[in-house]
Amino acid sequence: YHHGKEKRRASHKFIRDQVIGVLLNMDGTSANAYTMSIFRDGMRIADPQPLPEALRTQALFPAVSYKGAVLRLSFSGQPLKPLPFTCRMLQDAAEADSERVLAAEPKDGRYEVVFPVALPD
């Protein structure tokens, strides 16, 4: 778990061919309201981590950062591994619970693409 200057290990290590799921619970009536949970192959592997207060009312965008791994990301309507409960996937998010952001077109009509080839240690 990483936010600002706070950094702590919140789950177990991941290995090859595992399906890792990240659940963002923004349901204020839920027992785990405003938390993020990590699942491995459909089973919870860590306690829900509370979202910082400042992020609870902000639009949150999925981002993944991992070192030394190949990732396959799925935002589809069905989880890759079944979860012990039902919830909506990102693709199925309610309009009221999501924010659509359109990319601004560059003034000269040309887009810039950045391909990172290495990350500092």
Side-chain angles (χ1 to χ4, degrees):
Y1 177 81
H2 226 297
H3 177 70
K5 294 184 179 183
E6 183 181 359
K7 180 180 177 182
R8 68 178 181 269
R9 182 175 295 273
S11 73
H12 306 281
K13 290 187 176 185
F14 308 140
I15 61 172
R16 182 185 171 114
D17 297 325
Q18 291 179 325
V19 175
I20 306 301
V22 177
L23 174 75
L24 181 63
N25 186 343
M26 300 299 282
D27 181 1
T29 63
S30 169
N32 293 322
Y34 306 110
T35 61
M36 182 188 77
S37 298
I38 300 177
F39 293 80
R40 180 177 54 214
D41 294 326
M43 302 300 294
R44 187 185 304 269
I45 60 170
D47 292 333
Q49 301 297 307
L51 287 176
E53 194 74 35
L55 295 180
R56 293 180 181 185
T57 59
Q58 301 294 315
L60 303 175
F61 297 88
V64 176
S65 176
Y66 219 88
K67 183 177 178 181
V70 175
L71 301 174
R72 173 183 160 206
L73 303 177
S74 173
F75 300 110
S76 69
Q78 296 296 320
L80 295 176
K81 291 283 185 175
L83 296 169
F85 50 83
T86 59
C87 64
R88 290 183 149 183
M89 299 291 285
L90 185 61
Q91 181 180 353
D92 191 35
E95 290 256 346
D97 295 333
S98 58
E99 181 176 323
R100 184 174 297 221
V101 177
L102 299 175
E105 186 166 332
K107 292 178 183 174
D108 62 1
R110 297 177 55 149
Y111 291 88
E112 179 181 4
V113 178
V114 178
F115 293 99
V117 293
L119 296 173
D121 284 338

